[in-house]
Structures are given as C-alpha cells and as structure tokens.
Amino acid sequence: QQQVKQSPQSLIVQKGGISIINCAYENTAFDYFPWYQQFPGKGPALLIAIRPDVSEKKEGRFTISFNKSAKQFSLHIMDSQPGDSATYFCAASLNSGYSTLTFGKGTMLLVSP
Amino acid sequence: SAVISQKPSRDICQRGTSLTIQCQVDSQVTMMFWYRQQPGQSLTLIATANQGSEATYESGFVIDKFPISRPNLTFSTLTVSNMSPEDSSIYLCSGRDRANTGELFFGEGSRLTVL
C-alpha cells in the first residue's frame, strides 16, 4: 500500500523560530512531493513542491529538503509567524504529479506570538 | 492556478436523504477529483471524475453511494446518497491542469452535517 507518514501530528513554535515537519514515503516510484497549507474552513492550497532531481527547493521562508536515499522529505518554515498557523499536509505521487496524490495525515502548526 | 467554486458551502441534512454538491472550475482542467476530509483528518480520495464517462472510484467508495457526474471539462457533481451521520464530513472538489505542471488545486469544500 502506498503510504506517506507525516510527523509530528502537532507543533507549537515561537514567533521567529523554525518549524520543521517531516514526511517519509515507501514507494520509490514516487517522483512528485508537494506540501499543502490549509487554514480552518478553507480548502488546501499548494505551498511548495519538489521533484527528486534536486535535494532542496526554497521559496521565501519555505524550504523543502529531500533525501532520496532515505525516502524522506521535510518542510522548513523559517522565521515562523502567527499567520503561518495552519495545518500542513505532505503528499506524494507518481508521474510528476499527473497521477493521484497520496496525502500524509497532516500537522497542525501553532505559532505563538 | 484555476479557481474552484463549490456549493453548497455547508448544509445540515437528515438521515436517509441525499445531497448533491456542485463544483465549477473557472477554466478547463483535464482531471477533476473528489476528496473527503473528516474533521481534523487528512484527505481521502473518493473518485476521479471522468468527462462523459463513469467515475473511477477508490477502494471503499461505490457509485451507488457517491454518484458522480462530469458533463464537461469545467463542471462536476458529487451526490452523497442515503446519508447517515457517518457521512458528516467536508467534501472537497479538486482539479489538475496538465499544462500547469500538474498542480492540484482545491475548492473551499462543502461541510455536511447529517443528523
């Protein structure tokens, strides 16, 4: 069964700190790894995504680190802000995103002022 | 990315009734999906909505319970049939445009409560 395991389930970070969320996958054929951000009452929105030809991708304060040999990838939020408080989902799919996505269970992030 | 509109945004339904959720995308998309998200939980794929043909259902979901239509490239409906309290959930419509790097984007969701 294709699985994506996400941790931690919840995370509290002080304003200005670094938030780190980790995901691990089993299927070595996965080749597209997006992160989604979801605020209460809203649908998930794509935050950042990476493909396995690179080990890191950065967009503003958000960075994905990818370790192909360990089958792990993580989201780092630098200088975390209260507005980053949301639920974050990692996901993975085959064929660079053109097949269905398998989602992790989500991490509820709270950034305290 | 395209914008997805869903309606109703929320509803309270009686046990045994059925409800149809509508999903409209503001541009043509090649693929549309329906997900279920129970409160505080992750997203579970119900089915892929195929234009002009029967939807492709994931394990645990059947057409009799969740009939889906997709008459064109921008519109789809999901019906939750013969509802029970266990169907109380958020139902999310999503779309993917192959021309746009495969990004999957979501509507705001339809929150159903079954009494």
Side-chain angles (χ1 to χ4, degrees), chain A residues 74-90:
Chain A
S74 60
L75 175 69
H76 295 234
I77 306 174
M78 311 299 289
D79 186 26
S80 298
Q81 299 296 312
D84 297 329
S85 298
T87 300
Y88 293 81
F89 294 95
C90 64

Side-chain angles (χ1 to χ4, degrees), chain B:
Chain B
S1 59
V3 175
I4 295 182
S5 302
Q6 279 185 242
K7 57 181 181 182
S9 58
R10 58 177 62 233
D11 207 340
I12 300 174
C13 307
Q14 295 298 317
R15 180 194 299 259
T17 63
S18 299
L19 182 77
T20 296
I21 302 167
Q22 297 182 2
C23 175
Q24 179 73 54
V25 189
D26 69 349
S27 61
Q28 292 186 350
V29 292
T30 53
M31 303 180 77
M32 293 182 74
F33 308 93
W34 287 96
Y35 284 83
R36 183 172 72 183
Q37 184 178 31
Q38 294 177 315
Q41 301 297 314
S42 187
L43 294 88
T44 300
L45 180 64
I46 297 172
T48 301
N50 299 309
Q51 184 198 359
S53 63
E54 189 173 293
T56 304
Y57 290 86
E58 298 298 306
S59 175
F61 297 95
V62 295
I63 188 171
D64 290 346
K65 176 67 176 178
F66 298 101
I68 289 171
S69 76
R70 187 182 175 193
N72 57 53
L73 287 175
T74 64
F75 186 78
S76 179
T77 66
L78 167 73
T79 299
V80 186
S81 303
N82 187 25
M83 286 185 284
S84 66
E86 292 71 36
D87 295 319
S88 297
S89 191
I90 301 169
Y91 293 85
L92 291 153
C93 176
S94 65
R96 171 177 288 140
D97 180 358
R98 290 178 67 96
N100 190 25
T101 69
E103 174 186 343
L104 183 71
F105 46 93
F106 289 86
E108 300 282 77
S110 298
R111 181 183 294 269
L112 301 188
T113 301
V114 184
L115 303 177

Side-chain angles (χ1 to χ4, degrees), chain A residues 16 18 39 55 72 79 87 98 105 107:
Chain A
I18 302 174
F39 294 105
S55 60
Q72 295 176 346
D79 186 26
T87 300
Y98 295 138
K105 291 188 179 296
T107 297

